[in-house]
Amino acid sequence: MGNKWFIRPGEKGRLWNEFLNNKCIGIGWDGDESYSGYESLDDVKQSHGTNDANSIWYFYNDMSEGDVVIAVNGQNTVLGIGKITSNYLEPQHPENPGIEYLHTRLVHWLINEQITLSYNLANKTITPVNEEWKWEEIKNGYIQMNNKYKDIFAQLENGDKMDISQLVKYFISQLDSDELKNHRKEHIKSSEMVREKLTNQYSEALTEEEMLEILNDTDAAYGARYNIESIFANNGGFDNLKVDLITSLESTKPNENDINQALKSFNNMGIGFLSELLCLKEPNNFWIKNSVVDDFFSRMNIDIKGTLPYGSKGDQGEYYIAMKPHMSNILQNLKINGLKDATYMDVDLFLWWLKDIDVPNITTQNKSLLHNTLVHTKNVILYGPPGTGKTYAIQQFTKSFLKDQLSKPKSFEEMKIELLQDLKWYQVVALSIYLNGKNETVKVPDLKNHDIIKFYFEKIRGRERNFSQTLWGQLQSHSNPNSETVKTENKSSPTLFDKASSSEWYLLPEGIEYVENNLSEAIDLFTGNKQIYEEKDFGHYCTFITFHQSYGYEDFIEGLKPIVYEGDVSYKVESGVFKDICERAKNDPENNYVLVIDEINRGNIAKIFGELITLIEDDKRSGKSNEISIKLPYSKTDFSVPSNLYIVGTMNTADRSIALLDIALRRRFTFLEMMPDYSIIDVEIDGVNIGSLLKELNGMLSALIDRDHQIGHSYFCEVVELEEEQAKNKLYFVWYNRVIPLLQEYFYNDWEQLKMVLGDFVVEKDNNSILEDRLVSKNYEIKNFENDWSGFSTALNKVYLGGELTGDIDTDY
């Protein structure tokens, strides 16, 4: 659902019937002059007062298809509710219904009964509904009047579902537009140029001007972080780059190792640039990885990193290869839906086009529910049966919740904090010496006053004492093991520093190499070589973790981790994920941070949170009235939870009841229930209604077990997004490989009850003739309707149309 608007149908609601009968809304200012002449709200204000101008601008510019309109009269009367189904229709538009108010939008009116509100409405023609509680009162008022309105509000709030296949079809229908046609021609031209000129055969004839033309013609070249001249300079000049690049493009294969090797071969040429060149060179084998692709994955809730194996390095090559199934799926959709010669260049064109299309994500209802709850508390848990979209809901919520701050350009201060807060003390000291002059010496008192070190000590680490001791300790512990001037025995890797006889410190050659290899991004930032770009990392503001039985305090807060150096084992304190995000939030109070804990009920809460369980309470956080700070047991540092950190968890009620959840956790979290949403899967596939099937199935599960053991709609979401033949195959797979195994777990060894639920899918097993006379109970098995859609669909229909318990179970739950 989009925005919501109050609108008044004329004085005292006199035009309500005209709005209702003509399925529209309208306003009357300016007679038959189109509002298209207004370019801004200020333009409107020159002709009208502020209130009137706002209403005109809302109606002409801000309202959209899919928005909800609430027709009102007087101080507190709602006349009806509908959904806008058209853009602004000027008086001369052929679809304009020609009512008294000449400026109109078409509306599908879903409710035309009146209710009275407890609050007074603004005396304006059009007013945006900004407070969610106002909408909630309207909704609850209608539902209390008649329960039938529950489904209508679900329809209003869920909106229309659009899958990737539908998007592809719409995209292909737009390919005749000049913009897309020209963009596709440019892609093909660029590909032909790369395949012709960036080859071994053409290499000797390739000029610098031609290379510049090729590189500048890529989409990657328009990114703020790319500079073609610097790529030449940082890769040994044109002649060296030409040879290396052609060799790389000729030899690289679409696998993790080759991609990583290619990236290591060039400086200042990231995965966006490299993947585009590879795609232009071999458009059937390589795809493009850029911010547009990342945005698509985010909007479609595709978590690439989440698909990587446990312990993965998460490097660019691994990430790139993990993208292939999703990019290939788009490519196949393009081919199936009419673009038979499609390549991965067309996939890129599709994603560029898609970035300006509004793709529905989580239902506004769940998103608003979380938003409204987090206004009042920092800690929320979504709970419900498996498959109800809890994790998905949180993922979509966090994207919406953090959207505004992610869209703002990073400031220098933010980039400095991001870079420094992940560095160790010795790295900051080495960086500071390097920036002071990598071959220069420096005294500790002077080093203390370096801006980077002072900022890191005070702002990042929050320390006020032992500044000099910390510096001396870091310099000595990472000094040359064979130093004649530093006699400390406890020396650690890496070896970075040494001290001159004059007591001045300097970087060793290996220390200089270490800084240049490991801290190049920081060097670029502090020397002014790195541009401040607009993209912000979602992962910086949101951390996603999953609790499990072996998860502990050391993983979550902090603990001792072993370090092996030259055969000796020592231990150091390492921060856990919670402490890490708390430190990021503390250092950046202007922005919000979110910690998502999936399956929160599977962890030992007392063991994981320890003494910090009290600190997460809203009023115990830093800066609040009852702020509490504690000293952590390992690091001995003071710690409190910042107020700009939100903790959102999920729990599956089929795994463990809320009643069994740690009482300390229950007290400190607000719980929001998520149940199956049948409207999302209300689709019929060759005679089988998926929504009705699941609803009846859940009715039986609620009666035989409890409501916590229902099955969520997400089990069937893939089914309803496919064309019919594919959907039938997917339904067979989901039913036999996901639904039935889950039900067998629910009714473990209780075949009689399982047969009550599954009907014809559970059949009596033929007994062995030798044992037949000795058996005292029946044996059952699951009947396989493979390659028998008629039998399969009939058995499914019996589950929700004629099963054994259909007449006995109350499904109004």
Side-chain angles (χ1 to χ4, degrees), residues 34 111 129 191 226 292 297 329 501 599 703 758:
S34 173
I111 298 174
V129 185
S191 179
Y226 293 112
V292 175
F297 285 168
N329 178 49
S501 56
E599 305 285 2
L758 291 176

Side-chain angles (χ1 to χ4, degrees), residues 98-115:
I99 64 172
E100 179 179 336
Y101 285 173
L102 297 177
H103 304 270
T104 61
R105 285 177 178 268
L106 301 182
V107 172
H108 179 202
W109 292 108
L110 294 165
I111 298 174
N112 62 1
E113 287 190 83
Q114 296 185 19
I115 62 168

Side-chain angles (χ1 to χ4, degrees), residues 173-314:
S173 73
Q174 302 297 305
L175 276 178
D176 285 333
S177 69
D178 289 340
E179 182 180 359
L180 288 177
K181 193 185 298 181
N182 291 335
H183 202 152
R184 192 165 192 248
K185 285 181 180 178
E186 289 170 8
H187 265 175
I188 294 171
K189 178 185 174 184
S190 297
S191 179
E192 290 173 346
M193 190 183 300
V194 168
R195 284 185 279 116
E196 175 193 354
K197 296 186 175 180
L198 293 187
T199 61
N200 287 323
Q201 292 86 345
Y202 194 85
S203 60
E204 290 186 8
L206 183 67
T207 66
E208 185 169 346
E209 289 72 24
E210 287 176 318
M211 176 75 90
L212 280 170
E213 181 184 2
I214 292 170
L215 296 183
N216 276 312
D217 204 35
T218 61
D219 288 326
Y222 298 115
R225 300 180 69 181
Y226 293 112
N227 182 289
I228 306 299
E229 285 73 20
S230 70
I231 290 178
F232 279 11
N234 289 315
N235 288 278
F238 166 69
D239 289 329
N240 286 330
L241 176 64
K242 176 175 70 171
V243 174
D244 292 342
L245 185 58
I246 289 174
T247 301
S248 181
L249 293 179
E250 293 277 3
S251 61
T252 299
K253 304 299 179 190
N255 62 62
E256 176 187 342
N257 292 333
D258 276 16
I259 297 295
N260 284 331
Q261 186 58 46
L263 285 168
K264 291 176 183 177
S265 301
F266 304 100
N267 294 319
N268 287 54
M269 187 181 289
I271 186 68
F273 225 132
L274 179 68
S275 64
E276 184 169 356
L277 290 173
L278 286 167
C279 180
L280 292 170
K281 180 79 172 180
E282 295 185 41
N284 291 309
N285 295 322
F286 290 94
W287 50 97
I288 299 173
K289 195 276 185 200
N290 52 30
S291 60
V292 175
V293 177
D294 292 339
D295 180 63
F296 166 76
F297 285 168
S298 173
R299 295 167 75 192
M300 299 300 287
N301 194 38
I302 299 171
D303 179 17
I304 298 295
K305 290 183 179 178
T307 67
L308 300 181
Y310 179 77
S312 163
K313 301 183 295 298

Side-chain angles (χ1 to χ4, degrees), residues 562-595:
I563 299 173
V564 180
Y565 178 66
E566 294 185 351
D568 295 327
V569 179
S570 60
Y571 292 86
K572 65 182 299 184
V573 177
E574 290 281 355
S575 297
V577 291
F578 183 66
K579 185 181 176 185
D580 275 342
I581 195 169
C582 282
E583 288 177 349
R584 293 202 298 272
K586 175 186 175 184
N587 293 326
D588 184 19
E590 299 302 315
N591 288 311
N592 293 321
Y593 288 75
V594 181
L595 174 65

